[in-house]
Amino acid sequence: MPMRTPFVGGNWKMNASLASAAALTERLIGSLADLDIQAAVFPPFPYLLRIRGMLAQADSPIALGAQDAYFQRDGAFTGEVSVAMLADCGVTHVLTGHSERRHVIGESDELVGKKTQAVLDAGLTCVLCIGETLGQREAGETDAVNERQARAALAAVTPDHFERLIIAYEPVWAIGTGRTATPGDAQAAHASIRALVADMFDQPIADATRIIYGGSVNAENAAELFAQPDIDGGLIGGASLDADNFTVICRAAAR
Ligand code: 13P
């Protein structure tokens, strides 16, 4: 089975000021200089260039990600940001389908699919987020929702895209609530998603694909979650805004 390099992303969401984002980056450059995992930060758009400059100057291994992108290359799409623009700013990773985009902003499965395709077509790494709401979990629909979202997002994705695809399982009820999925529940969902990738493509692709967990991961619970065989790291919200916590979480993912 291929070795999957663990991935831990810090999704800063719509948080931080330019000054606090720079201070956080400075601390992470120091604390994450020698990791044998892939770490990435996903700052708000206006801070990307500043943080890119800091990471580049320090020759930091921390990757730069964006929280969203539009699927069109350019044109009259007021307020949107294209993948090409992000790449121009040094972004290498882009989130698509985050639950806050799906459930707060109202993005459809179809739109998430177009964005996912645009990120992969442009040669960037896509972190595709999927996951069920509390009502869907209680109705026993977890696997069905993950399957629907994954199939819609990956409809046009080819096997060679998979090297640059990371799937983030983020149960909506666990995001920002302090209510984490148990390691067993998260592992079960991850195993189902891996089986789905095998069904859609093949087993070697499924075995090589990183599937990371997000939803109230913190410095205390990260190690147990990341110890599960199908959990290859995490996408961290609140705890990623604190350099010490994010560093502990990244170290917990190192195998
Ligand atoms: P929290 O870690 O704050 O629950 O957020 C998770 C998340 O949405 C990461 O993308």
Side-chain angles (χ1 to χ4, degrees):
M1 195 174 291
M3 183 67 186
R4 298 188 294 265
T5 303
F7 179 93
V8 177
N11 175 10
W12 297 356
K13 308 192 179 185
M14 199 174 76
N15 291 302
S17 64
L18 184 55
S20 70
L24 175 57
T25 304
E26 193 65 55
R27 301 244 348 249
L28 294 176
I29 285 171
S31 64
L32 299 180
D34 63 345
L35 276 184
D36 53 3
I37 67 155
Q38 175 72 71
V41 291
F42 296 79
F45 288 142
Y47 306 157
L48 285 170
L49 272 180
R50 169 79 180 276
I51 290 165
R52 184 250 191 128
M54 294 176 70
L55 295 174
Q57 196 181 11
D59 201 18
S60 170
I62 302 170
L64 185 64
Q67 297 172 20
D68 187 33
Y70 199 53
F71 65 90
Q72 298 279 5
R73 251 197 96 74
D74 49 36
F77 304 103
T78 300
E80 295 296 336
V81 173
S82 73
V83 180
M85 290 170 182
L86 294 171
D88 219 4
C89 294
V91 165
T92 54
H93 291 64
V94 182
L95 303 183
T96 59
H98 191 279
S99 77
E100 287 141 23
R101 306 270 344 149
R102 293 180 190 267
H103 298 293
V104 182
I105 313 292
E107 289 192 7
S108 65
D109 286 349
E110 187 194 1
L111 180 57
V112 173
K114 286 180 175 169
K115 291 182 172 193
T116 301
Q117 194 65 31
V119 172
L120 293 169
D121 283 344
L124 275 64
T125 295
C126 184
V127 182
L128 166 67
C129 306
I130 60 175
E132 83 286 4
T133 63
L134 184 58
Q136 290 166 332
R137 166 157 288 254
E138 287 173 344
E141 294 169 2
T142 298
D143 288 346
V145 170
N146 285 334
E147 174 162 4
R148 190 198 76 227
Q149 293 182 348
R151 284 196 188 274
L154 302 177
V157 166
T158 58
D160 51 305
H161 278 143
F162 259 86
E163 278 178 19
R164 287 180 288 100
L165 180 77
I166 296 170
I167 298 175
Y169 169 60
E170 298 205 301
V172 180
W173 48 271
I175 295 177
T177 58
R179 189 178 161 189
T180 322
T182 64
D185 283 348
Q187 163 58 27
H190 281 232
S192 296
I193 294 165
R194 199 174 302 286
L196 174 64
V197 175
D199 183 59
M200 291 172 69
F201 295 90
D202 60 29
Q203 193 63 48
I205 286 178
D207 288 340
T209 299
R210 285 173 294 178
I211 305 174
I212 63 175
Y213 171 81
S216 296
V217 178
N218 58 40
E220 284 77 45
N221 62 24
E224 201 185 348
L225 285 160
F226 298 164
Q228 303 302 310
D230 285 296
I231 301 184
D232 305 312
L235 190 57
I236 321 301
S240 72
L241 295 167
D242 179 277
D244 291 338
N245 283 333
F246 191 62
T247 300
V248 169
I249 293 167
C250 286
R251 297 212 179 276
R255 293 190 169 134

